[in-house]
Amino acid sequence: MSAIQYTKRRFEALRRAIGGDDEEESAALTGSEESVGVHLQLWLLVGMVAFPILVAVVVSTKQQGIVTSLPDLVPGTYAVENYREAIVDYGFGRFMWNSLLMSVVVVVGKLVISVLAAMAIVYYRVPYKDLVFLFVLFTLLLPVPVRFIPLFQLINDLGWGNSLLAITVPYLASATTVFILRQHFLSIPTSIVETAKLDGVGPVKFTLQVLVPMSKGVLVGVSIIMFVYAWNQYLWPLVIIDSEANQVAQVGLQLLQGDVQGGQLSWSLVMAGSVLTLLPPLALMVLFRKPLLETFAIQQK
Amino acid sequence: MTTITLENLRKEFDDVVAVDGLDLTIRDGEFLVVVGPSGCGKSTTLRLLAGLETATDGEIRMDDRDVTGTEPPERNVAMVFQNYALYPHMTGRRNITFGMNAGGSFTDEEIDRRVAEAAETLDITGLLDRKPQAMSGGERQRVALGRAIVRDPDAFLMDEPLSNLDAKLRIQMRAELTRLHAELGTTTVYVTHDQTEAMTLGERVVVMDDGRIQQVDPPQSLYDFPANRFVAEFIGDPAMNMIDVAVEGGVAVHDAFRIPLPAGNAAGETGSEAESLADPDAGDRPHAVLGIRPEDLHPARERPDLGETEFDATVDVTEPLGDSLLVHCSVGDATFKMSAEPRSSLEPGGTVSVTYDPERLHLFEPETGEAFYHSATAPAPSDRLERVVND
Amino acid sequence: MTTITLENLRKEFDDVVAVDGLDLTIRDGEFLVVVGPSGCGKSTTLRLLAGLETATDGEIRMDDRDVTGTEPPERNVAMVFQNYALYPHMTGRRNITFGMNAGGSFTDEEIDRRVAEAAETLDITGLLDRKPQAMSGGERQRVALGRAIVRDPDAFLMDEPLSNLDAKLRIQMRAELTRLHAELGTTTVYVTHDQTEAMTLGERVVVMDDGRIQQVDPPQSLYDFPANRFVAEFIGDPAMNMIDVAVEGGVAVHDAFRIPLPAGNAAGETGSEAESLADPDAGDRPHAVLGIRPEDLHPARERPDLGETEFDATVDVTEPLGDSLLVHCSVGDATFKMSAEPRSSLEPGGTVSVTYDPERLHLFEPETGEAFYHSATAPAPSDRLERVVND
Amino acid sequence: MGGSGGNEAQFSPIADELTVWHAMGGTNGETLDSIAADFEEEHGIEANMEFQDSYENVLTNTLAAFDSGNVSDMLQVDSLFAQQVLDTDQVRPVAEILPDDFDTDVFLDNVAEFFTVDGELASLPFNNSNAIMYINRDAFEEAGLDPDDPPSTLAEVRSASETLVDEGVTQYGITWPNHVWFVETWYGFEGELMTDAENGHAGDPSTFYAPDAVYDLYEWWKGMADDGLYTNPGIEAWGEATSLFIEGEAAMVLTSTASVAGLIADSEDFTVDAAPYPSISDTRVGPVIGGASFYVPEGLPEDRYEEIGELLRYMAQPEVQTEWHKGSGYYPITQPSVDSLREEGWFEENPMYNVALEQLQNGDASDPATKRALLGPARNVQTVIQDKSVDVVNSDDIGSEIEAMKSEVESVLTEYYE
Amino acid sequence: MSTREIFDGRLEAALLLAPTLLVSVVFLYYPTALAFRTSLFDSGFGRAEEFVGLENYLTLLGSSAYHSSVVISVVFAALVVAGTIAVSLYLTFLIHEVDTGQGWYLISVIWPYALPPAVAALVFLFVFHPTLGVLTGPIEALGLEVDWFNDGPQAFLVVLLVAIWKQIGYNVIFMIAAMKNIPDALTETAELDGVGRLHRLVSVYVPIMTPTLFFLVIINTIYAFFGTFAFVDLLTSGGPANATNVLIFDLYREGFSFFNFGVASTKSVVLFLVVAVLMVIQFRLTEEYSYYGA
Ligand SMILES: Nc1ncnc2c1ncn2[C@@H]1O[C@H](COP(=O)(O)OP(=O)(O)OP(=O)(O)O)[C@@H](O)[C@H]1O
Ligand SMILES: Nc1ncnc2c1ncn2[C@@H]1O[C@H](COP(=O)(O)OP(=O)(O)OP(=O)(O)O)[C@@H](O)[C@H]1O
Ligand SMILES: O=P(O)(O)OC[C@H](O)CO
Ligand SMILES: [Mg+2]
Ligand SMILES: [Mg+2]
């Protein structure tokens, strides 16, 4: 069995599970009453996990959006109006667009430079590359909060304040991406790599025509992870972006609260914004759940 | 069409000596099989040939070119891997042609023509537009072969190319490889750990152990004239019986039996300095190892033609193999296996009178394992081909 | 110590019928081997016995208890898996004892004693405090066996337990299993796809194909009296030659040769309604398949004792197997393999005069594949044991 | 730090058009937007009103922007943070920017005084407020209380709350956002200074005063909380506090006059009314001013100051002030607009809008206690007081918690001014 | 040396690594180094930077408020890690055990991973607001007083809940992959012996999953310290009585509300050190307890 086949087979069970089809699981040997219990527990837990967001959805369809008890939780009729108001009047569309731009730039940038780095780390015979890899991995311990004050000053010194550069470039080096890609590259059978070497295939051709096509799934999976990560950034944009035109959705969400000083609180708008903000990453996750889960499976090795 | 010469080839990994000073000439157009137990250095040898590993010491020459330090593309060899090494995202055709122009020596039309030809030869024309996951194992291996063929290399290097196939397919592909080799006549080095493959495919077989060549010979010579205990036990299934004996006056003496040794052929430099045992009266030794293959031992009543050279043994276990019955016997402190007629009625616990084929006795040094006596007459030197001696 | 009876046992997965109506009695204390190609339903059958799968239809009885619907622990069977199924984080001892108290039937002292005994028997006392990753494959499988043994189950179920071991170890463990079975006498069902294992281990062998039982017989009977073409070709390596012939007046007629059929033994209900071909003059048929094993064909000059029943064939390829030479021949439109003396000098392209053992001829229906004639005389019915017929 | 201080600081504007960072969301924000649109129409200068969520965020972003060098042209800074922004040395007094013909005397005295620094109008007052009390008239009536005679001291608030809760009319009597402004207002009415140096107006403060009245205040506060008469809507939770009032959870809410318009609109199920802020005792010296003013950074390209000056002037115009007052509830801060509203009879028709103005004008503007504290580390002090207020209310030993508050505030002050 | 290293060219390799290294050095290592430097200065907005040596550290050392912030953060992290792992493990196990609808359960459980923390915080605020919350009524009907604006432990619990809730998805994704990798034969062996479900989870699955679990402990620790800012910021602002004043929030406030960059940097450094020490401890434990022994 080739390594690829092997990997395939390993994921087969997983894939079946994620596929959502009701396939038989040979592993699960359960008396039917027992599994009813399991299903019940699952429903309960899933309900608990999902409840808050159901509330958000319901509230986003109401006029004032004040819901103080369970019976209030019936959908209202102001959905269209609320979403319109959030997107148009409050410029939430603009924030979403900024978030999207930021996330896409971060994802693409990360992928490109991480592929290059992982390529060097796995396929080049150079000294100290384990050290280099460690050096990159260590950045996991340096999240934004540890360094955002000097970073803030640095970005300003560079004259990048308030710009797309400020919320993208610092994110481009990605320990996680390099790590996952490296793991994946290491799982590509040596013989395939050596075949290329026997033919004298150069690094550019090798990367573009062998490595990237063979890593499609992982690249998509990593992209989702990175997208979610970038999309959910809050602290850094809060600090570095102060012009409304460049603000991202996470921070912009607060603006939907309405005239806070004036004592207004538009929960329905906030929830509409929340739902909007959740949509892009959720859609990606549902759409690409297979590569996503497979990527995680690889990563754990 | 190339002669490949290895001289004192060595490869060390950190603390492991994977290949320990090989001297070998692979003849132009020859199908050479390298066989040996896992970890003996077969793959490393092949990879040294391909240029995928750099030799620690020694020299590799292709015809008269010293290629020891050159990059793989310059060597013009093609390799076939156990796991096919097909790019999963490319069609069969793309797999075959990918990287061909890196060498730069083919025009597009030429490539097309060559692919069509190879596909024809391998009967994979229908597979050219499929991706590997839509092919069976055998089909994949055929495409991998196709990749090797279109490159028109000076040599094929194959590393256990059939190991991932199931038994039926393996036998079928074995025949195909033979046919292909007959057709193309390209020098081929074929690595396997499967002795049946080695025996049936190789024009000559190299037996390796522990990074060294143990013997290089045509298959049947290996079987009949193993150079040492390792080769004797490695080649042949079930393995050759080995019994500790003493040699006294041309007779192998065991507590429980005595086997006279016919004036045979001493091992060593063939035909030349035949050792004293060629005369069975000379060279008594207190310790020697007598080797007899199970199929050269028989229940006496099945082979009355072998004469009275027989002794009694106890039957321990019988294993029906279909075409024969493998009888585990013991005599004194020795145990051995014997091949009997499939439908013999030998019951465990019973006694059987055992005879042997006096033409097929072997003696080995107990310490070094070197063979020093084969009762059969060696084939003419011309037939045995050249021998490479390592030590 | 249990008799297990399967009645019309079926298992369907979605669209696959994995096990298609089995009827089989596994005798008390018997070592029964189930063999068949990949995907034929061997594992599924075993898992049905263990209770790991629920039968779609049919019944499983252990002695007189109907266990079809019961949970695994209630069946009191122990299973040994191909990949050992040892818990990687537990020591050998813990692996063996883990879960024993779930059944609740052992006291702690009893467990200790049983573990000590089993470890003794299997020679794994030294492994009890090691974790699996510090054991070799063979050692792991021994611990897995230990786990099965200490439970003192009514039956052992083993699914290719030796497949992950290397050839040497496999042979060694095979002998060990035989010894163990002799010692414990526990009813054992052993699944394998390896025919050598099946032949050497089984007291009786079940050959399965496509979810159905093809034949149940002791090993040598399977080899000599295959119930159909599938069994004939599956058992034996190299496989039995199959040649299309016509039967005319007790003679198998092919364009290129004629083989008289000795008054032999018709297949079918053994010894009872022997079919017309027992009289070779009766029952002419325009189409039949003649089956002869390679080792029952010989170059005529090697076996003058077989008389003048010979014909000429062309040698295509020769494969030296060491103990014999496998000769691929063709005659007319038929090709076949023949076993020759290892050192015969048969050159590809030449002609060879072929003879055969008239005692070992088989005829099969071209459509159904059923055997309808074996030239050998069947063993006495008592010896053949009961037969299960499927259709 | 990038800010080198002084006039040579070179800022670049955030956009080509004028940008104003403000904290006015909802309807007030919309009013602001329409003011900007009118201004553009009249003067042909584009102005972009950018909502920054809260005064705290405007402050944070302002300081951050001074560091980064990309600043907006006008900053709506809460009076609370006036000193903190002034201390940056990065703002140009609006007096120097306003067109020469602008008469700074138009502002009401007590307003102008607060925003004048060193005799110069430092920032343009715009949206100014008091804290007042809103009541739910229907609830009062239901509980048998007289809505026309709302509680005016804490003790009365307590007894009204008890009645409301006992009668089961509302769950709580009163609520207000946990914001320092309310504490400041109580200090003001009581005529007590919060810090030395006249609340920072006369030098660097270093001492935090905790007079007896403050003990009374927290005693009362804690009692209200313990007895379930008061509910805490959260820190700086302006919105939640009003929501509690609108939802009928509490019949009284203390909050800014800025909520008048919004509350009237949102209280669909009951009649809302406004009343003066309840004082700790009968002493009612006067409230502290609230709300914000517009600051302008120093060091923008010179040509922008002219446009900024135009916008500043525009925003102080009587018509704009009137429109703003009506749309928000912030009181009018120039005499001309007060006059015109009076003329119009607006206050008779809308007495709720008059409560704050009256409260302001009834106050003793000369008493330093009614001047809102001017503290450099205002944000820090604010946080301490707000956090500590919760601690005080939750503790069994009010005294020591107030001591803790005092010493923490003082250490912040010392740290800053040392 | 692995035979994957098919290319030589050091310069090429350096070029390939350059972007990642450049960004890492400029935007990650350099600012971190600066934070170390700034921590030795008195620095704030509008103030001239002044070298103060270890004074900032001494200040923190003497600040009981900061001590409690450290303690709160560590306890919070421990609970987040333990809670997340326990809940996710159980959920994963349930999903693993059912044979129908696995895919849907999986998606329903992991989606909060996609949820922005700010949204999570706002939604929780809405649901659990002490007086206005949707669930406040039902919970109080059970006789529990919801009062987390005043009650420190309750506030802590609310932030903890939202932190765990948000992190479940991420954990389940890894755990399901790890659990699926456990050979069926191990499960079946246990079943043959009649080993109960939970016993199987605890005695068989968990030990085998230790590498994944340790990885998650580390990721969750980082999350608990760094990723929970939005919850505190939007739900409790560190209160009441500093009960939720975790280091990251405290640090943010010091830096961007109070603009004391020197002290804030010192807090960054301390936070970094706390997490680094915890990592080292965790790696030690991993070595000790993982059956892989490496
Ligand atoms: N890249 C490497 N690094 C270190 N040691 C190696 C490497 N490749 C091979 N070896 C060691 O060299 C020896 C020979 O390995 P080699 O792969 O040539 O064996 P082989 O005969 O091909 O075995 P197999 O039949 O298992 O393929 C082994 O001991 C192996 O562990
Ligand atoms: N859980 C399952 N779901 C669906 N089909 C299954 C399942 N298990 C087995 N099958 C199918 O049932 C048939 C018999 O499978 P089984 O595993 O019993 O074969 P086997 O004889 O043990 O093969 P092998 O030698 O490869 O182990 C196959 O076609 C297989 O694909
Ligand atoms: O809500 P406002 O605008 O009245 O402002 C109130 C105080 O100034 C807050 O400090
Ligand atoms: Mg090898
Ligand atoms: Mg199977």
Side-chain angles (χ1 to χ4, degrees), chain C residues 31 33 162 174-175 177-178 190 196-203 219:
Chain C
F31 198 119
V33 174
L162 307 185
R174 215 156 74 191
L177 280 176
T178 310
Y190 184 105
T196 311
E197 240 169 55
M199 297 290 283
T200 53
L201 276 173
E203 294 175 4

Side-chain angles (χ1 to χ4, degrees), chain C residues 238-252:
Chain C
M240 188 185 279
N241 296 300
M242 294 290 171
I243 303 168
D244 290 328
V245 293
V247 179
E248 286 166 15
V251 177

